[in-house]
Short mmCIF file of all heavy atoms in Angstrom, two decimals:
data_model
loop_
_atom_site.label_atom_id
_atom_site.label_comp_id
_atom_site.label_asym_id
_atom_site.label_seq_id
_atom_site.Cartn_x
_atom_site.Cartn_y
_atom_site.Cartn_z
N GLN A 1419 -47.66 -101.85 114.61
CA GLN A 1419 -47.78 -101.29 113.29
C GLN A 1419 -48.50 -102.32 112.40
O GLN A 1419 -49.42 -101.78 111.66
CB GLN A 1419 -46.39 -101.08 112.70
CG GLN A 1419 -45.69 -99.84 113.31
CD GLN A 1419 -44.25 -99.78 112.85
OE1 GLN A 1419 -43.52 -100.76 112.59
NE2 GLN A 1419 -43.72 -98.56 112.63
N ARG A 1420 -48.32 -103.53 112.50
CA ARG A 1420 -48.99 -104.52 111.74
C ARG A 1420 -50.42 -104.50 112.05
O ARG A 1420 -51.31 -104.64 111.14
CB ARG A 1420 -48.39 -105.92 112.03
CG ARG A 1420 -49.09 -107.09 111.32
CD ARG A 1420 -48.47 -108.36 111.80
NE ARG A 1420 -49.32 -109.55 111.20
CZ ARG A 1420 -49.09 -110.17 110.19
NH1 ARG A 1420 -47.87 -109.98 109.55
NH2 ARG A 1420 -49.76 -111.25 109.88
N ALA A 1421 -50.84 -104.23 113.32
CA ALA A 1421 -52.22 -104.16 113.69
C ALA A 1421 -52.97 -103.02 113.08
O ALA A 1421 -54.09 -103.09 112.63
CB ALA A 1421 -52.31 -104.20 115.22
N ILE A 1422 -52.29 -101.87 112.96
CA ILE A 1422 -52.84 -100.71 112.32
C ILE A 1422 -53.06 -100.93 110.85
O ILE A 1422 -54.10 -100.64 110.27
CB ILE A 1422 -51.87 -99.54 112.50
CG1 ILE A 1422 -51.86 -99.04 113.93
CG2 ILE A 1422 -52.25 -98.35 111.58
CD1 ILE A 1422 -50.77 -97.99 114.29
N LEU A 1423 -52.12 -101.67 110.24
CA LEU A 1423 -52.25 -101.96 108.82
C LEU A 1423 -53.51 -102.90 108.51
O LEU A 1423 -54.29 -102.58 107.63
CB LEU A 1423 -50.96 -102.60 108.29
CG LEU A 1423 -49.67 -101.81 108.39
CD1 LEU A 1423 -48.54 -102.54 107.83
CD2 LEU A 1423 -49.76 -100.42 107.78
N ILE A 1424 -53.71 -103.83 109.39
CA ILE A 1424 -54.74 -104.77 109.26
C ILE A 1424 -56.08 -104.09 109.57
O ILE A 1424 -57.19 -104.40 108.94
CB ILE A 1424 -54.54 -106.03 110.08
CG1 ILE A 1424 -53.39 -106.87 109.52
CG2 ILE A 1424 -55.80 -106.96 110.16
CD1 ILE A 1424 -52.89 -108.02 110.43
N ALA A 1425 -56.14 -103.29 110.55
CA ALA A 1425 -57.35 -102.63 110.99
C ALA A 1425 -57.80 -101.46 110.05
O ALA A 1425 -59.03 -101.24 109.92
CB ALA A 1425 -57.14 -102.00 112.29
N GLU A 1426 -56.87 -100.73 109.43
CA GLU A 1426 -57.40 -99.63 108.73
C GLU A 1426 -56.52 -99.19 107.57
O GLU A 1426 -57.07 -98.72 106.53
CB GLU A 1426 -57.57 -98.41 109.78
CG GLU A 1426 -56.31 -97.88 110.37
CD GLU A 1426 -56.68 -96.75 111.25
OE1 GLU A 1426 -57.13 -95.76 110.81
OE2 GLU A 1426 -56.18 -96.76 112.46
N GLU A 1427 -55.17 -99.21 107.54
CA GLU A 1427 -54.43 -98.58 106.54
C GLU A 1427 -54.34 -99.42 105.24
O GLU A 1427 -54.23 -98.96 104.21
CB GLU A 1427 -53.08 -98.29 107.06
CG GLU A 1427 -53.02 -97.00 107.93
CD GLU A 1427 -51.59 -96.43 107.97
OE1 GLU A 1427 -50.67 -96.91 107.31
OE2 GLU A 1427 -51.43 -95.41 108.75
N GLY A 1428 -54.23 -100.71 105.36
CA GLY A 1428 -53.93 -101.61 104.30
C GLY A 1428 -52.46 -101.54 103.89
O GLY A 1428 -51.69 -100.95 104.58
N TRP A 1429 -52.16 -102.16 102.75
CA TRP A 1429 -50.81 -102.24 102.32
C TRP A 1429 -50.78 -102.42 100.83
O TRP A 1429 -51.72 -102.72 100.15
CB TRP A 1429 -50.09 -103.38 103.07
CG TRP A 1429 -48.59 -103.46 103.02
CD1 TRP A 1429 -47.87 -104.28 102.27
CD2 TRP A 1429 -47.73 -102.61 103.72
NE1 TRP A 1429 -46.48 -104.00 102.49
CE2 TRP A 1429 -46.43 -102.99 103.36
CE3 TRP A 1429 -47.90 -101.53 104.59
CZ2 TRP A 1429 -45.29 -102.37 103.90
CZ3 TRP A 1429 -46.83 -100.85 105.09
CH2 TRP A 1429 -45.48 -101.36 104.72
N ILE A 1430 -49.58 -102.19 100.28
CA ILE A 1430 -49.27 -102.49 98.88
C ILE A 1430 -48.63 -103.77 98.72
O ILE A 1430 -47.59 -103.95 99.34
CB ILE A 1430 -48.40 -101.40 98.20
CG1 ILE A 1430 -49.16 -99.96 98.28
CG2 ILE A 1430 -48.05 -101.73 96.76
CD1 ILE A 1430 -48.23 -98.82 97.99
N ALA A 1431 -49.16 -104.69 97.92
CA ALA A 1431 -48.51 -106.02 97.74
C ALA A 1431 -47.07 -105.82 97.25
O ALA A 1431 -46.91 -105.25 96.22
CB ALA A 1431 -49.38 -106.88 96.79
N GLY A 1432 -46.12 -106.38 98.07
CA GLY A 1432 -44.70 -106.29 97.59
C GLY A 1432 -44.01 -105.15 98.31
O GLY A 1432 -42.76 -105.17 98.18
N ALA A 1433 -44.72 -104.18 98.94
CA ALA A 1433 -44.01 -103.06 99.53
C ALA A 1433 -43.08 -103.52 100.61
O ALA A 1433 -43.52 -104.38 101.41
CB ALA A 1433 -44.97 -102.05 100.09
N GLY A 1434 -41.89 -103.06 100.61
CA GLY A 1434 -40.89 -103.42 101.66
C GLY A 1434 -40.05 -104.69 101.33
O GLY A 1434 -39.18 -104.98 102.12
N HIS A 1435 -40.27 -105.26 100.21
CA HIS A 1435 -39.54 -106.37 99.70
C HIS A 1435 -38.57 -106.02 98.58
O HIS A 1435 -38.71 -106.57 97.53
CB HIS A 1435 -40.47 -107.53 99.35
CG HIS A 1435 -41.28 -108.21 100.46
ND1 HIS A 1435 -40.73 -108.86 101.42
CD2 HIS A 1435 -42.61 -108.08 100.72
CE1 HIS A 1435 -41.70 -109.23 102.39
NE2 HIS A 1435 -42.86 -108.77 101.95
N GLN A 1436 -37.67 -105.19 98.91
CA GLN A 1436 -36.85 -104.57 97.97
C GLN A 1436 -35.84 -105.61 97.32
O GLN A 1436 -35.67 -105.65 96.07
CB GLN A 1436 -35.99 -103.43 98.49
CG GLN A 1436 -36.64 -102.12 98.83
CD GLN A 1436 -37.48 -102.09 100.16
OE1 GLN A 1436 -37.38 -103.08 100.83
NE2 GLN A 1436 -38.17 -101.07 100.38
N ALA A 1437 -35.41 -106.56 98.09
CA ALA A 1437 -34.61 -107.54 97.45
C ALA A 1437 -35.22 -108.47 96.61
O ALA A 1437 -34.63 -108.83 95.49
CB ALA A 1437 -33.92 -108.42 98.66
N LEU A 1438 -36.50 -108.80 96.97
CA LEU A 1438 -37.21 -109.70 96.01
C LEU A 1438 -37.66 -108.88 94.68
O LEU A 1438 -37.57 -109.46 93.59
CB LEU A 1438 -38.50 -110.19 96.70
CG LEU A 1438 -39.43 -111.18 95.98
CD1 LEU A 1438 -38.56 -112.38 95.60
CD2 LEU A 1438 -40.45 -111.66 96.96
N LEU A 1439 -37.98 -107.67 94.88
CA LEU A 1439 -38.24 -106.86 93.77
C LEU A 1439 -37.13 -106.69 92.75
O LEU A 1439 -37.12 -106.63 91.53
CB LEU A 1439 -38.81 -105.50 94.11
CG LEU A 1439 -40.24 -105.41 94.73
CD1 LEU A 1439 -40.54 -104.09 95.42
CD2 LEU A 1439 -41.29 -105.77 93.64
N ALA A 1440 -35.88 -106.60 93.39
CA ALA A 1440 -34.67 -106.36 92.66
C ALA A 1440 -34.37 -107.68 91.83
O ALA A 1440 -33.94 -107.61 90.65
CB ALA A 1440 -33.51 -106.14 93.57
N GLN A 1441 -34.69 -108.76 92.37
CA GLN A 1441 -34.50 -110.03 91.64
C GLN A 1441 -35.49 -110.11 90.48
O GLN A 1441 -35.01 -110.59 89.38
CB GLN A 1441 -34.90 -111.25 92.60
CG GLN A 1441 -33.82 -111.51 93.74
CD GLN A 1441 -34.21 -112.64 94.58
OE1 GLN A 1441 -34.96 -113.59 94.17
NE2 GLN A 1441 -33.79 -112.64 95.84
N LEU A 1442 -36.68 -109.61 90.67
CA LEU A 1442 -37.62 -109.58 89.64
C LEU A 1442 -37.21 -108.64 88.49
O LEU A 1442 -37.36 -109.00 87.35
CB LEU A 1442 -39.09 -109.16 90.08
CG LEU A 1442 -39.72 -110.18 90.99
CD1 LEU A 1442 -41.06 -109.55 91.54
CD2 LEU A 1442 -40.03 -111.47 90.25
N ARG A 1443 -36.61 -107.53 88.85
CA ARG A 1443 -36.19 -106.57 87.86
C ARG A 1443 -34.98 -107.15 86.99
O ARG A 1443 -34.89 -106.99 85.88
CB ARG A 1443 -35.78 -105.29 88.57
CG ARG A 1443 -36.99 -104.49 89.19
CD ARG A 1443 -36.60 -103.10 89.60
NE ARG A 1443 -37.63 -102.48 90.38
CZ ARG A 1443 -37.71 -102.39 91.65
NH1 ARG A 1443 -36.84 -102.93 92.43
NH2 ARG A 1443 -38.91 -101.78 92.16
#
């Protein structure tokens, strides 16, 4: 999955880091 993201899909900075985002909120 990581290889697909790097090769073509990209990612949203912070996506999947719910605990960290909750701390920020």
Side-chain angles (χ1 to χ4, degrees):
Q1419 288 173 324
R1420 180 185 168 99
I1422 291 171
L1423 303 181
I1424 293 172
E1426 59 179 312
E1427 284 201 2
W1429 195 251
I1430 298 168
H1435 294 292
Q1436 286 82 0
L1438 188 51
L1439 288 167
Q1441 292 178 29
L1442 292 173
R1443 294 188 185 101

